Amino acid sequence: DIGLEDNAICDGSAKMLADALSHNTTLQTLKLQGNDIQTESTLRTIHALLKKNREVAKAKFALEHPELVTHVLKKPEKEEKKKKKKSSSSRSKRREKDGG
């Protein structure tokens, strides 16, 4: 974790951070809130590199400690999706019941 919040980091500095992150495989979290970074592509690059580092660390941990790795949990469905599925299936059942 590195906290760089409220440090007046601008686009140029953010690009340098992104370049440094492309050579770093261990940093997983970089806090940048409250800075003056305007370029979305630079932020996306930084987030993608951090995500890659987290995934690599997770995979490395799984290889080194297989006994501690548990099954992968699925994210719970959002209520809206459940409602749509429910109303869709009830409509299908009604059609089947009505014969078409």
Side-chain angles (χ1 to χ4, degrees):
D1 245 24
I2 294 183
L4 295 175
E5 306 96 334
D6 303 312
N7 273 290
I9 295 172
C10 61
D11 290 333
S13 300
K15 285 179 185 176
M16 286 188 245
L17 280 171
D19 182 53
L21 274 172
S22 69
H23 303 284
N24 176 298
T25 58
T26 56
L27 185 63
Q28 297 178 36
T29 306
L30 183 58
K31 298 175 184 175
L32 293 170
Q33 296 84 358
N35 287 294
D36 193 29
I37 303 168
Q38 303 294 318
T39 310
E40 286 295 319
S41 62
T42 303
L43 285 172
R44 279 194 301 272
T45 300
I46 289 170
H47 289 293
L49 290 166
L50 292 170
K51 182 179 178 182
K52 180 180 139 203
N53 287 355
R54 286 189 297 273
E55 290 168 355
V56 168
K58 189 176 179 179
K60 183 178 177 184
F61 179 84
L63 284 173
E64 292 174 356
H65 306 284
E67 71 283 4
L68 299 176
V69 177
T70 58
H71 63 283
V72 177
L73 297 175
K74 291 183 181 180
K75 289 184 179 180
E77 286 187 40
K78 292 187 178 180
E79 286 299 316
E80 204 172 290
K81 284 184 181 179
K82 286 181 183 178
K83 287 178 185 175
K84 283 182 182 179
K85 281 184 181 180
K86 205 174 204 180
S87 65
S88 164
S89 65
S90 61
R91 272 188 258 137
S92 297
K93 287 178 185 175
R94 271 189 260 137
R95 273 190 235 128
E96 289 172 10
K97 192 176 177 181
D98 294 341

